[in-house]
Amino acid sequence: MPVSENPPESPPESQPTIRVIAMPTDTNPAGDIFGGWLMSQMDLAAGTIAARVSKGRASTVSVEEIQFHRPVLVGDEVSLYAEMLKVGRTSMRIRVRAWRRARHQEETQQVTEAIFTFVALDDDARPRPVLREE
């Protein structure tokens, strides 16, 4: 399931997995928010879903097809929406989309998206089956 070539016009109607404000310490020399900062926020959102679904520890093993559509600016509210795409025996594929909203405006824009793969881990950091509800 590839990322979107044309981002949607509006964010999902569900509550975001994470919402955060982009701060000056997160900027590059041009004054835009670092892509790495945004990726870390996306990883946190995906990890939240992975931990809840696997009922325990889970770790990122890959990030696919990340696309940055627009910059994030200092003061923007960034809302991250994570959705489970697939649950395997030990792995989970999670799509994360990030939206920005300027601090004093209502308009939102999708800024990036990616697909994260997580693996459920046991106490020794080895892959374990995802614990599923029966």
Side-chain angles (χ1 to χ4, degrees):
M1 201 174 248
V3 296
S4 308
E5 288 186 25
N6 298 314
E9 293 294 319
S10 60
E13 293 193 18
S14 62
Q15 289 293 314
T17 307
I18 293 176
R19 184 172 281 153
V20 64
I21 303 297
M23 299 299 287
T25 56
D26 305 316
T27 60
N28 62 27
D32 296 330
I33 298 301
F34 276 116
W37 177 85
L38 191 52
M39 274 189 73
S40 71
Q41 299 303 312
M42 295 171 75
D43 191 42
L44 288 168
T48 297
I49 299 301
R52 289 179 77 180
V53 169
S54 71
K55 307 281 189 276
R57 186 176 173 192
S59 182
T60 310
V61 294
S62 72
V63 180
E64 302 170 38
E65 302 186 34
I66 190 162
Q67 292 184 8
F68 294 96
H69 304 296
R70 293 178 181 88
V72 174
L73 307 176
V74 171
D76 283 354
E77 177 186 86
V78 179
S79 298
L80 299 113
Y81 298 85
E83 65 176 310
M84 184 65 67
L85 298 177
K86 180 181 177 188
V87 177
R89 192 177 78 75
T90 63
S91 65
M92 298 157 280
R93 285 175 48 87
I94 302 159
R95 178 190 315 272
V96 179
R97 293 182 172 144
W99 292 76
R100 71 172 284 275
R101 182 184 65 78
R103 195 163 180 83
H104 302 290
Q105 299 176 7
E106 294 303 316
E107 178 188 354
T108 59
Q109 297 175 320
Q110 186 176 341
V111 292
T112 190
E113 62 184 300
I115 298 171
F116 289 74
T117 300
F118 274 72
V119 169
L121 299 174
D122 66 15
D123 291 337
D124 296 317
R126 291 189 300 250
R128 66 164 171 83
V130 174
L131 301 175
R132 299 179 191 210
E133 300 274 329
E134 298 295 327

